[in-house]
Amino acid sequence: MRHLIDWQYYDDQTWESLIERALWHKTSTKRWHHSADGKSIGLLFFNSSLRTRTSMELAAQQLGAYASTLVVGQGTWGFAWGKPGEVMDGNEAEHIKEAVGVLSRYYDALGVRMFASLSDLEADRSERLMNVFKEAASVPVVNLESAFYHPCQALSDAAAMHTHFGGPPKGKKFTLAWCHHPRALPMAVPNSALLTAARLGMEVTLACPEAYKLDSSILSLAEQYATSNGGSFSHTSNLDEGVRDAHVIYAKAWSGPAIYHGKDEEQALRMSLKDWRITTPRMNGTDQGVFMHCLPVRRNVVVDDAVMDSHSAIHLLQAEFRLHAQKAILEHLWELD
Ligand code: CP
């Protein structure tokens, strides 16, 4: 059974072939295919979405498949998914195991989005919900953003960089820049962006305050990917230094792992770091660098209007690639490749 929980479970050859396939879908003159005629996918959203929901629905439909979206708790039962032995005497009427078992008998694949709890690091790090899905499903499961990973975004970002640079971005300087945000946000996108750039053999810098360094498991994996793919990995707690001479500035706000040690302390720290924002002077310090963001983004908090509206911003290309990349992913999961 093919699942997509994260790219680290895929070998290099498959990862590279999926990037190629996403690039092919972008340039293909045919938008509609029939390769997945008669297939179906059920998309379960525990959290909001604009891009993932619409691009996944369209990706399936453009391959000839049927997609339906379930917003959990709005028209479905609330799902319990705690540890084994959980006594279901709360609001949730149905256990996720039964829900996934049932849906597996209707659909040919399931997609699921649920963000990190930001309160239980072990549950988030171990991807508890994704594992329940994997175990209970009898069809392929695709991660539409989980506690720690956003593989659909990662493939889109890799393909967007290939397109921008006219080939593999190996050797280019990639800076993942932590930015201030009024709300505590999860780490799935920065984790995936960091690992993607390292796996592509880029010269990767993580620019963030010390307290916002990503989970040690992600940092070790990024180091390992950088070493084995001819790139490098470093950290700086100075944003101006981090953006200098970069070819890519990937901006993102995140709250952890600091938040697991105390929500009030993390909030106070985050509010004191409003200068961590991508501005035109900072973009001027790059080597004709491009600005990337997964969206949604808060203008003039994370990034200034002038950067967002400039030619150096490729966030719409990234968003467009969600459609092409997810077609490649569905073809792979359904073994149509
Ligand atoms: N980038 C992304 O996943 O967007 P949505 O949250 O709108 O799906």
Side-chain angles (χ1 to χ4, degrees):
M1 178 85 61
R2 290 180 175 180
H3 298 296
L4 176 56
I5 306 304
D6 185 58
W7 295 116
Q8 61 181 287
Y9 308 113
Y10 276 64
D11 60 29
D12 288 344
Q13 198 184 347
T14 311
W15 157 246
E16 282 158 21
S17 74
L18 283 161
I19 295 174
E20 287 305 321
R21 187 68 181 165
L23 293 166
W24 180 86
H25 274 297
K26 175 167 168 54
T27 52
S28 169
T29 48
K30 265 175 57 192
R31 174 162 284 206
W32 297 85
H33 301 259
H34 295 282
S35 53
D37 268 352
K39 298 270 189 201
S40 60
I41 183 166
L43 306 170
L44 282 87
F45 284 85
F46 289 77
N47 302 101
S48 304
S49 167
L50 175 78
R51 279 143 291 274
T52 306
R53 176 177 173 166
T54 50
S55 59
M56 193 51 113
E57 286 174 354
L58 274 172
Q61 286 160 9
Q62 291 182 6
L63 292 177
Y66 172 79
S68 56
T69 295
L70 300 169
V71 179
V72 176
Q74 292 178 33
T76 75
W77 303 110
F79 299 140
W81 59 281
K83 289 183 177 156
E86 176 186 11
V87 177
M88 285 175 56
D89 57 359
N91 290 330
E92 289 79 21
E94 179 147 32
H95 198 278
I96 196 76
K97 284 188 183 178
E98 279 75 59
V100 172
V102 169
L103 294 173
S104 289
R105 290 172 182 238
Y106 300 155
Y107 292 105
D108 299 301
L110 294 174
V112 57
R113 161 169 287 196
M114 185 190 256
F115 297 159
S117 67
L118 299 184
S119 56
D120 183 342
L121 178 57
E122 205 31 59
D124 291 346
R125 189 191 273 143
S126 65
E127 295 282 16
R128 192 186 290 158
L129 180 75
M130 294 306 303
N131 286 325
V132 174
F133 262 78
K134 236 173 44 179
E135 281 161 24
S138 54
V139 294
V141 173
V142 55
N143 178 352
L144 304 177
E145 187 173 344
S146 62
F148 254 43
Y149 303 109
H150 196 349
C152 294
Q153 184 70 50
L155 186 64
S156 312
D157 293 342
M161 286 192 281
H162 271 248
T163 297
H164 171 74
F165 291 115
K170 189 176 171 70
K172 300 287 184 191
K173 292 186 179 173
F174 176 100
T175 297
L176 174 63
W178 181 90
C179 292
H180 164 76
H181 196 281
R183 292 186 53 215
L185 298 184
M187 293 160 287
V189 168
N191 286 348
S192 290
L194 194 77
L195 296 179
T196 297
R199 195 165 188 180
L200 291 169
M202 300 177 81
E203 307 286 318
V204 180
T205 300
L206 171 62
C208 67
E210 197 63 30
Y212 288 96
K213 273 176 141 177
L214 294 165
D215 190 66
S216 54
S217 61
I218 300 295
L219 299 181
S220 315
L221 196 53
E223 189 93 53
Q224 193 184 310
Y225 279 158
T227 307
S228 55
N229 290 291
S232 64
F233 176 59
S234 61
H235 168 255
T236 175
S237 48
N238 181 317
L239 181 56
D240 293 314
E241 194 182 293
V243 301
R244 198 170 303 136
D245 299 328
H247 300 111
V248 175
I249 303 298
Y250 198 114
K252 189 71 187 83
W254 65 89
S255 64
I259 198 161
Y260 295 98
H261 305 303
K263 287 192 188 322
D264 292 344
E265 292 87 338
E266 190 281 327
Q267 166 88 0
L269 175 62
R270 190 159 26 81
M271 296 315 277
S272 72
L273 296 168
K274 291 188 178 174
D275 184 48
W276 282 73
R277 190 176 83 251
I278 305 303
T279 61
T280 299
R282 283 184 169 136
M283 289 306 294
N284 289 344
T286 67
D287 184 358
Q288 298 181 307
V290 287
F291 171 85
M292 294 181 72
H293 195 283
C294 63
L295 303 177
V297 70
R298 292 194 184 221
R299 284 173 173 245
N300 306 310
V301 174
V302 169
V303 52
D304 284 0
D305 279 338
V307 176
M308 282 300 279
D309 296 331
S310 72
H311 291 299
S312 60
I314 62 165
H315 54 287
L316 297 183
L317 180 65
Q318 291 172 261
E320 181 195 327
F321 260 112
R322 296 297 305 276
L323 179 61
H324 311 308
Q326 286 153 196
K327 281 188 200 173
I329 288 167
L330 289 177
E331 289 171 327
H332 175 73
L333 293 180
W334 282 329
E335 304 188 33
L336 304 170
D337 47 357

